[in-house]
Amino acid sequence: MSKKVILASTSTLYNGGYLEYLLPVLKQHFENVKTLLFIPYARPGGISHEEYTHKVGNAFSPINITVKGLHEFENAKEAIQKAEAIFTGGGNTFLLVSHLYELDLIDTLKATIESGTPYLGTSAGSNIAGLTINNTNDMPIVLPKSFTTLGIINFNLNPHYLDPIEGLAHMGETRETRINEFHTVSKIPVLGLREGSWLEVYGEDVFLRGPLTARLFRSGEFAVEMAPGENLNFL
Amino acid sequence: MSKKVILASTSTLYNGGYLEYLLPVLKQHFENVKTLLFIPYARPGGISHEEYTHKVGNAFSPINITVKGLHEFENAKEAIQKAEAIFTGGGNTFLLVSHLYELDLIDTLKATIESGTPYLGTSAGSNIAGLTINNTNDMPIVLPKSFTTLGIINFNLNPHYLDPIEGLAHMGETRETRINEFHTVSKIPVLGLREGSWLEVYGEDVFLRGPLTARLFRSGEFAVEMAPGENLNFL
């Protein structure tokens, strides 16, 4: 089998419910899936694994998918390997990656997704599908053992990509400045994925979906806007 | 001797020149200093150590202080120990801390500042004066050996502190949300220092300076606004 992956910039759009805008897509992506394995380790706002899993369960109930949290299993590796489908939710990327390394789940998760188990990531859960988490926006509240992640795609993501806000007197760096700084120390391409965009990774294809363009940054080149429907498999 | 330290949120205010707003304060802070040792490792925008040091030299020439970059010395530890005064500039906090660890300079820098050598930090250079860099806003473009830093103050800083922007449809976390997330895993207090604010650490005192209040976050307590002139030595 081959990869079947959705990587969304965000779980939630402004004025929308949790996963609401993605639900029609997920219904198809998770066709025939009865039970979804949820990885709650990114703990947005510090909520518990139980609370987070409950929230995700509510979101998937309209499409008749039952959700189980990875924390409920004694053998996490086995739970991943045997899962019908996997979803990693957003929150703090450093917390997520630290916990995945602590439990030695990186290799298992990568192999399972590459073998064809359908996967969904949102925000931090999408970030870990890149080569490294060097382009997360999150605050480094814990120090993971490594920044290297799953490499389901051959580049990095910057979820919640934000264009410079006109007229803002704040002197902190823009997102573009930060990504350009990264390219003074690395050659890994970075895709700035705006809220409302997602990637569909089916086999070797990497399609940009949603209504918006995405901003592609490559070391030593001008940033370019990729149109919806484009295939990023050239990266 | 005792500590004589200025930790500024930013080097530059909107519509102002580099270090311009701080220059009257620095003239007094660096009274009798002829040569300032500059630590350029945070490399904002990836500029070279030489370019960055040149920029800082220009900024200090109106108050008759000569600037030498730490990269110009063969023995960096000795250069720190013998410095009349030290300035660490802003840029990428991860790059700065990685390089300080690579050169084994953390302990030397801490001991030198604590022994009374006047110090100035801006942005990333202020961040490292806290206990850890867990509250930087920067992108983690490299992985440092540790997030533990100088502990010149007994809490952490969030420089360029930004209040939530009203009416923004972006769903990425606010700065306050991120700091609250930190407090689900740590008890270290965090001071959100707005652009235009700085701390004066003289001996055991930690005064908030500049025209603005600063937002203090403590684990399990409501965030509070500290007024200019308040002494944060209770933390």
Side-chain angles (χ1 to χ4, degrees):
Chain A
M1 283 177 66
S2 64
K3 286 184 274 192
K4 193 177 177 189
V5 170
I6 286 182
L7 306 174
S9 172
T10 184
S11 62
T12 313
L13 291 180
Y14 188 66
N15 280 335
Y18 183 69
L19 291 178
E20 190 182 331
Y21 79 103
L22 272 179
L23 219 53
V25 174
L26 296 181
K27 193 175 172 177
Q28 204 178 341
H29 186 65
F30 291 138
E31 209 189 346
N32 300 323
V33 170
K34 300 257 176 301
T35 305
L36 177 68
L37 180 67
F38 177 59
I39 302 183
Y41 302 155
R43 300 177 56 209
I47 63 170
S48 70
H49 297 152
E50 291 73 19
E51 283 174 280
Y52 199 8
T53 304
H54 186 71
K55 176 182 178 174
V56 171
N58 286 343
F60 276 94
S61 85
I63 57 171
N64 300 311
I65 292 176
T66 302
V67 173
K68 293 203 91 175
L70 185 49
H71 64 288
E72 300 169 33
F73 293 84
E74 210 159 301
N75 186 331
K77 276 187 195 175
E78 195 183 75
I80 288 170
Q81 285 161 340
K82 290 190 173 169
E84 281 181 72
I86 299 170
F87 168 35
T88 307
N92 186 287
T93 307
F94 295 89
L95 213 51
L96 171 60
V97 171
S98 291
H99 211 55
L100 289 174
Y101 270 104
E102 277 160 22
L103 298 177
D104 189 26
L105 296 178
I106 295 281
D107 292 344
T108 306
L109 192 54
K110 178 182 169 70
T112 304
I113 296 168
E114 285 180 345
S115 77
T117 302
Y119 179 82
L120 166 67
T122 59
S123 192
S126 297
N127 230 319
I128 61 168
L131 294 168
T132 72
I133 58 160
N134 286 117
N135 306 101
T136 175
N137 314 304
D138 293 339
M139 197 171 261
I141 63 174
V142 295
L143 177 65
K145 186 176 148 185
S146 166
F147 283 170
T148 300
T149 45
L150 306 178
I152 300 301
I153 50 175
N154 205 21
F155 50 95
N156 280 356
L157 290 178
N158 178 255
H160 302 279
Y161 182 76
L162 197 57
D163 294 290
I165 299 166
E166 301 257 347
L168 191 66
H170 187 72
M171 298 296 285
E173 297 90 349
T174 64
R175 202 64 66 77
E176 177 146 358
T177 303
R178 293 168 191 274
I179 296 172
N180 287 335
E181 247 176 28
F182 173 63
H183 281 144
T184 66
V185 297
S186 174
K187 297 219 172 289
I188 299 175
V190 180
L191 187 70
L193 204 56
R194 296 181 177 88
E195 296 179 347
S197 295
W198 66 93
L199 297 180
E200 271 180 16
V201 187
Y202 285 174
E204 297 307 309
D205 295 322
V206 184
F207 294 109
L208 175 62
R209 300 298 186 200
L212 305 172
T213 61
R215 196 161 180 81
L216 176 62
F217 299 87
R218 282 168 296 182
S219 176
E221 299 187 33
F222 288 107
V224 290
E225 290 291 329
M226 307 302 295
E230 282 205 66
N231 194 339
L232 293 153
N233 65 354
F234 63 91
L235 290 172
Chain B
M1 283 176 64
S2 65
K3 287 183 275 194
K4 192 177 177 190
V5 170
I6 285 182
L7 305 173
S9 172
T10 185
S11 62
T12 313
L13 290 180
Y14 189 66
N15 280 336
Y18 183 69
L19 291 177
E20 190 181 331
Y21 79 103
L22 271 178
L23 219 53
V25 174
L26 296 181
K27 193 175 172 177
Q28 204 179 342
H29 186 65
F30 290 137
E31 209 188 347
N32 300 321
V33 170
K34 300 259 177 297
T35 305
L36 176 68
L37 180 67
F38 177 59
I39 303 182
Y41 302 155
R43 300 178 55 210
I47 63 170
S48 70
H49 295 152
E50 290 73 19
E51 284 174 280
Y52 200 7
T53 303
H54 186 73
K55 176 182 178 173
V56 171
N58 286 342
F60 276 95
S61 85
I63 58 170
N64 300 311
I65 292 177
T66 302
V67 174
K68 292 204 91 175
L70 184 50
H71 64 288
E72 299 169 32
F73 293 85
E74 210 159 301
N75 187 331
K77 276 187 195 176
E78 196 184 74
I80 289 171
Q81 284 160 340
K82 290 189 172 170
E84 282 180 71
I86 300 169
F87 168 34
T88 307
N92 187 287
T93 308
F94 295 89
L95 213 52
L96 170 61
V97 171
S98 291
H99 212 55
L100 289 174
Y101 270 104
E102 275 159 23
L103 299 177
D104 189 27
L105 296 178
I106 294 281
D107 292 345
T108 306
L109 192 54
K110 178 180 169 71
T112 304
I113 297 168
E114 286 180 345
S115 77
T117 302
Y119 179 83
L120 165 67
T122 59
S123 193
S126 298
N127 229 318
I128 61 169
L131 294 169
T132 72
I133 59 159
N134 286 118
N135 305 102
T136 174
N137 313 305
D138 293 338
M139 197 170 262
I141 64 174
V142 294
L143 177 66
K145 187 176 149 186
S146 166
F147 282 170
T148 300
T149 45
L150 306 177
I152 300 302
I153 50 175
N154 205 21
F155 50 95
N156 280 356
L157 290 178
N158 178 255
H160 303 279
Y161 182 76
L162 196 57
D163 293 292
I165 298 166
E166 301 257 346
L168 191 65
H170 187 71
M171 298 296 284
E173 296 90 349
T174 64
R175 201 64 67 76
E176 176 146 358
T177 302
R178 293 168 192 274
I179 296 170
N180 287 336
E181 247 176 28
F182 174 63
H183 281 142
T184 67
V185 297
S186 174
K187 297 220 173 288
I188 299 176
V190 180
L191 187 70
L193 204 57
R194 295 182 178 88
E195 295 180 347
S197 295
W198 66 92
L199 297 180
E200 272 179 15
V201 187
Y202 285 174
E204 298 307 309
D205 294 323
V206 184
F207 294 110
L208 176 62
R209 299 299 186 200
L212 306 171
T213 61
R215 196 160 180 81
L216 176 62
F217 299 87
R218 282 168 294 182
S219 175
E221 299 188 34
F222 287 106
V224 291
E225 290 290 329
M226 308 300 296
E230 282 205 67
N231 194 338
L232 292 153
N233 64 354
F234 63 90
L235 289 172

